[in-house]
Amino acid sequence: MENVPPPAEELAILDRELIRLDARKAQLLARRAWLLTVIGQPVAPSAPIPPLPRPLAAAPPDAAPRSVQNLLLTLGGILLTIAAIAFTLVSWGHLGIGGRSLVLGAVTLAALAAPVALLRRGLASTAEAVAGLGLVLMVLDAYALHRVALADTDGLGYAAVASATLAALWSAYGLSVVRLRIPLPVALLTAQLPLPLWALTAGAGTPPLEWALLATAVLDVVAALWARPVLRGFAAAGAGVTGGWALLIGGAQSVTADTALDASAPALLLVAAAGVALLAAWRSPSAATPCAVVAGLATIAALGGVARASVPEGWSVLGYLLCAVALLGLVPTVAPQRLRPGLAVAAGAVHALAAVSALPLLALTLAGPLTTLDHIWPGTAGGSRDALGGPVPAAALSASPLILLITAATLAAASRWWPSSPATGSHTPGPAAAPGPDSLLGANPSAASGRGLRAGIAGSMPAVAWAGLFVVPPALDLGRTPAVALHLLLTLAVLGFTVRPARFARYAPGGAVVALVCALAGAVSVSLLSLATRPATFTVLGVLTAALTATALASRAGRAVPAVLACAATVFATALVAAVAAAAELPPHRAALALLVVPATVALVAARLGRHPVALPTELTGAGTALLAIGLATGDRPTLALVLALCAVIAAGTAVRAERRPAAGLLAAVLFVLATWVRLYASDVSTPEAYTLPVTVPALVVGVLRRRRDPEASSWTAYGPGLAATLLPSLFAAWGDDLWLRPLLLGLAALAATLAGARLRLQALLVLGGAVLSLDALHELAPYVVQVVGSLPRWLPPALAGLLLLAVGATYEQRLRDARRLRDTLGRMH
């Protein structure tokens, strides 16, 4: 027989065991810390090993000896450097010319010679620190030489010569003392200065700054390809900085050139920079893609700049785009395999920027008709440019459709030849390639998925083509009627992609979603554009409603796309009915009755569709139309009651379907009750019980029969509508009644319903009866409460409220448990 200890004793046992486990864990952690210290430094075999039970162990040192040594040497070198600079700049005047030269020269030679001796003794870190001090002293020597002997020379020119000399001396010093790591990188970084400084002197025979920067970048590329591995990263960074500045200067000059002759000089610079980038891409597989991108962009900028200066204003983007098209056409046939991805990315970037430049016109074409909503059906159609909402340059209007259509054609062609997995660095250069240049500009990047890029290219092609054709009417300044016809045809055409997306998957993967977005945007725009004339409005809305409905039913693009199309069809059907009502000059409350045709039709179609994916979204959109009709009918109470009753009829018809019965049945009951209340209020009925009781009694009888046949039926379904039909209107009437009879009778009826609900465990009777009883009692006690509150001191209500909050807060957990218990009790009721 198993003995189970009491809960209190078992809890104490568990606590003791947990304390033991914590102590054992502390012992193991202490042993682990001691083992880490033993592994980190050699220990003699006879070293005593601390016993395992000790809870504490020696902590490892905060810093390794090597790190402390490097920190001390760095601080010492910095302090010596500061002292040397202070001596040169502040204490210089205390010595004569001979003394100055002797001190600086001796200290510099000593600082440069000391690393050799230190390296022989194995003090590498100390040698690096002293070598760094020597390099700084050489800069101070150059400064002293300029101040003493060459003070009259040009500062920029002297700085250029001095930086070149220092770079050469440091290179020689670094090559002679090969174990030092500082001199060669410092020499390489200093070598970035001579040519740009020489160009800034602006003297006779000096090169332009951009060419000086490009020449420096060429030297950096050469160093990155063939120098020691330790220098390649510095050389690559220098090439990026100097070459980038050269490209920026050349691009700015090309963009601001007034004539083709003026644009030829920066074009030559950009082409030369592209050649340097191609050399780096060819020699370094790891940098092939980024360098090829730079080369492609520089080439397009060079040729496009010349074309820009040769064409009228507004067509410059088209010139750049045609250059990108030409480059993209040469990529699969002429360019080596390694350079193709980068060149293609460069051309694609130019295509994307060109397409972005045409987006403002597309946005104006789509949203411009919103500006004409203040004068619907003016009688005169006007031109399509009148609907743009603002003036647009004619050159931009003419070039934008060509830009978008050329981009679409390029995307269609590129989706055919783009490889499924583009190679990045798999092609090896010729035999003349130097070993080890792969580290140029960083590590080899991972190859992107060519299949996904190809799908993106093909998927965006229909959208770009649609956009190019959509902006044709304002570009050609077509009339409003031809523009509406063209936009309507484009919308219908793009809807075809959503019917059988599998047929277009080869040409436009994911085209269903893109086509859906384009179709909806075009449908809204053409609907607004058609508001110029009544025939155009009715034709466009009718065609769109039919097309969207047919497409939603025939689409095989999953579940979301047909659902969105069905909702859009319902919205356009609502707009069509509203247009008909506006043409008939119906007042808003009469138009509300016409709008109910849409939810009624939707309910019939949804009943026919059954469990089709578009059924529920369409019904929800139809419910939105019914809500709009209710809002329009609020200005006329009898019509509002009729609209509510008709909405209840539609909901009741929907409740016939088993899958819609719970929600639709409850909604129908609520709408019927609301319709009754509104009708009574509209007729100025002062005794609503005379009209509600004849409804309540048979409704309750039907509820009783329903519960006998189906005991599991909800009390809300059986008794809720009947009780609400009388209790709620009577409650509203009682609140405005000064007599005592109605509140008394209503309170007795609500009390009876509450007691019956508690006795029979029926949720509807308990909740409705309790709520009405509480509100009725509050109405009766309200005057006395107001009188008592008015006679109390003003500080007493806030004090009582504070005490109440304190009491509730102190017993919060208990109140929460009581609320949960009440919720569970109500939930168990029928």
Side-chain angles (χ1 to χ4, degrees):
M1 184 174 182
E2 183 178 1
N3 294 324
V4 180
E9 184 179 353
E10 185 178 2
L11 180 61
I13 294 173
L14 291 177
D15 290 338
R16 287 195 295 270
E17 291 295 327
L18 290 174
I19 293 173
R20 292 173 185 171
L21 290 175
D22 291 338
R24 180 61 177 170
K25 180 180 179 181
Q27 294 174 2
L28 294 176
L29 289 175
R31 180 70 177 180
R32 180 178 182 275
W34 180 84
L35 291 174
L36 288 175
T37 60
V38 172
I39 295 175
Q41 57 185 356
V43 180
S46 60
I49 300 176
L52 182 61
R54 291 182 59 186
L56 298 177
D62 293 335
R66 178 71 65 180
S67 301
V68 175
Q69 179 189 19
N70 292 336
L71 178 60
L72 294 176
L73 291 174
T74 303
L75 291 176
I78 292 174
L79 292 176
L80 288 176
T81 302
I82 294 174
I85 295 174
F87 169 76
T88 304
L89 299 178
V90 179
S91 302
W92 187 258
H94 298 290
L95 297 176
I97 296 178
R100 302 169 189 174
S101 304
L102 180 62
V103 171
L104 277 180
V107 174
T108 302
L109 291 176
L112 295 177
V116 179
L118 293 173
L119 289 174
R120 290 176 182 175
R121 295 180 177 272
L123 302 176
S125 299
T126 307
E128 294 287 352
V130 177
L133 176 61
L135 299 181
V136 174
L137 289 174
M138 291 182 69
V139 177
L140 295 178
D141 289 336
Y143 171 76
L145 180 63
H146 179 262
R147 289 292 303 271
V148 174
L150 302 173
D152 296 333
T153 59
D154 179 58
L156 287 176
Y158 179 79
V161 175
S163 58
T165 304
L166 290 175
L169 292 176
W170 289 344
S171 299
Y173 182 67
L175 292 175
S176 61
V177 188
V178 293
R179 294 178 60 185
L180 292 177
R181 293 176 296 177
I182 292 180
L184 288 179
V186 173
L188 181 62
L189 295 178
T190 307
Q192 311 298 313
L193 301 177
L195 291 178
L197 291 176
W198 181 33
L200 290 176
T201 59
T206 56
L209 178 60
E210 60 272 15
W211 283 101
L213 290 170
L214 182 59
T216 306
V218 172
L219 297 178
D220 290 330
V221 170
V222 172
L225 292 174
W226 286 284
R228 294 180 180 180
V230 70
L231 297 177
R232 289 175 185 168
F234 295 97
V241 173
T242 55
W245 275 110
L247 287 174
L248 289 177
I249 296 174
Q253 293 176 352
S254 177
V255 171
T256 57
D258 296 329
T259 62
L261 183 61
D262 296 337
S264 59
L268 182 60
L269 173 71
L270 294 173
V271 170
V276 175
L278 288 177
L279 173 64
W282 176 252
R283 299 293 297 181
S284 177
S286 62
T289 299
C291 291
V293 170
V294 173
L297 292 176
T299 304
I300 296 172
L303 301 178
V306 177
R308 183 203 62 81
S310 305
V311 298
E313 183 181 1
W315 293 83
S316 57
V317 176
L318 188 61
Y320 288 103
L321 179 61
L322 293 178
C323 295
V325 171
L327 177 62
L328 196 61
L330 295 176
V331 166
T333 57
V334 177
Q337 181 68 30
R338 179 186 300 172
L339 305 181
R340 291 180 185 179
L343 295 176
V345 169
V350 175
H351 278 79
L353 293 176
V356 168
S357 69
L359 289 182
L361 178 59
L362 177 63
L364 287 177
T365 306
L366 289 172
L370 288 172
T371 60
T372 62
L373 291 179
D374 54 344
H375 48 281
I376 298 175
W377 295 338
T380 57
S384 56
R385 290 187 183 179
D386 298 335
L388 293 180
V392 180
L397 288 172
S398 302
S400 295
L402 292 177
I403 291 173
L404 292 172
L405 293 176
I406 292 174
T407 303
T410 306
L411 290 174
S415 63
R416 294 178 177 271
W417 63 260
W418 189 266
S420 59
S421 58
T424 56
S426 59
H427 181 72
T428 58
D438 295 346
S439 61
L440 175 62
L441 297 180
N444 185 22
S446 59
S449 175
R451 185 176 303 173
L453 185 57
R454 180 177 183 178
I457 291 174
S460 59
M461 183 269 297
V464 178
W466 170 84
L469 294 175
F470 206 84
V471 297
V472 166
L476 301 180
D477 196 16
L478 299 178
R480 188 72 65 92
T481 301
V484 169
L486 179 58
H487 287 178
L488 183 60
L489 290 177
L490 287 175
T491 303
L492 297 178
V494 79
L495 277 176
F497 282 88
T498 64
V499 178
R500 295 290 188 273
R503 295 183 180 180
F504 305 99
R506 178 181 177 185
Y507 306 101
V513 177
V514 177
L516 176 64
V517 175
C518 295
L520 294 180
V524 173
S525 178
V526 72
S527 300
L528 296 175
L529 192 64
S530 66
L531 295 177
T533 60
R534 295 188 180 185
T537 302
F538 297 144
T539 302
V540 169
L541 292 178
V543 171
L544 288 177
T545 301
L548 288 170
T549 303
T551 307
L553 297 177
S555 177
R556 297 296 181 268
R559 300 175 64 91
V561 173
V564 174
L565 289 172
C567 295
T570 306
V571 171
F572 280 99
T574 303
L576 178 60
V577 174
V580 173
E585 298 182 355
L586 296 178
H589 63 279
R590 298 296 181 187
L593 294 172
L595 287 179
L596 291 181
V597 175
V598 176
T601 306
V602 166
L604 295 175
V605 174
R608 180 70 176 174
L609 294 176
R611 297 185 180 273
H612 196 279
V614 305
L616 181 59
T618 308
E619 289 177 284
L620 294 177
T621 311
T625 303
L627 188 61
L628 175 63
I630 293 174
L632 292 175
T634 53
D636 188 82
R637 293 169 187 169
T639 307
L640 177 61
L642 179 60
V643 169
L644 289 172
L646 292 176
C647 291
V649 172
I650 297 173
T654 305
V656 174
R657 300 161 55 192
E659 67 274 12
R660 301 285 188 266
R661 186 167 300 158
L666 180 60
L667 180 62
V670 171
L671 289 173
F672 274 127
V673 173
L674 287 177
T676 303
W677 297 347
V678 173
R679 181 68 261 183
L680 294 176
Y681 183 67
S683 302
D684 295 329
V685 175
S686 59
T687 309
E689 294 81 4
Y691 299 90
T692 58
L693 284 175
V695 176
T696 296
V697 173
L700 293 178
V701 172
V702 172
V704 171
L705 297 177
R706 169 72 186 278
R707 290 274 298 172
R708 286 182 179 179
R709 178 173 298 181
D710 184 11
E712 297 298 326
S714 173
S715 62
W716 288 101
T717 304
Y719 307 119
L723 289 174
T726 295
L727 291 179
L728 297 182
S730 298
L731 179 63
F732 282 105
W735 272 75
D737 195 350
D738 297 332
L739 301 178
W740 57 272
L741 182 59
R742 176 180 281 116
L744 176 61
L745 296 177
L746 178 62
L748 292 176
L751 178 61
T754 304
L755 295 176
R759 176 68 180 82
L760 301 176
R761 300 181 61 82
L762 297 177
Q763 189 180 110
L765 276 68
L766 182 61
V767 173
L768 278 176
V772 172
L773 181 60
S774 301
L775 293 175
D776 186 59
L778 178 63
H779 172 265
E780 293 303 309
L781 295 176
Y784 304 101
V785 173
V786 171
Q787 183 178 0
V788 171
V789 172
S791 61
L792 291 176
R794 294 187 177 183
W795 58 267
L796 188 57
L800 294 176
L803 292 175
L804 177 63
L805 292 177
L806 289 176
V808 173
T811 59
Y812 174 75
E813 295 294 335
Q814 181 61 37
R815 302 286 78 77
L816 189 60
R817 286 193 293 269
D818 294 342
R820 290 173 178 171
R821 190 179 298 110
L822 177 61
R823 183 195 62 185
D824 296 338
T825 303
L826 288 176
R828 287 192 295 269
M829 292 183 177
H830 291 287

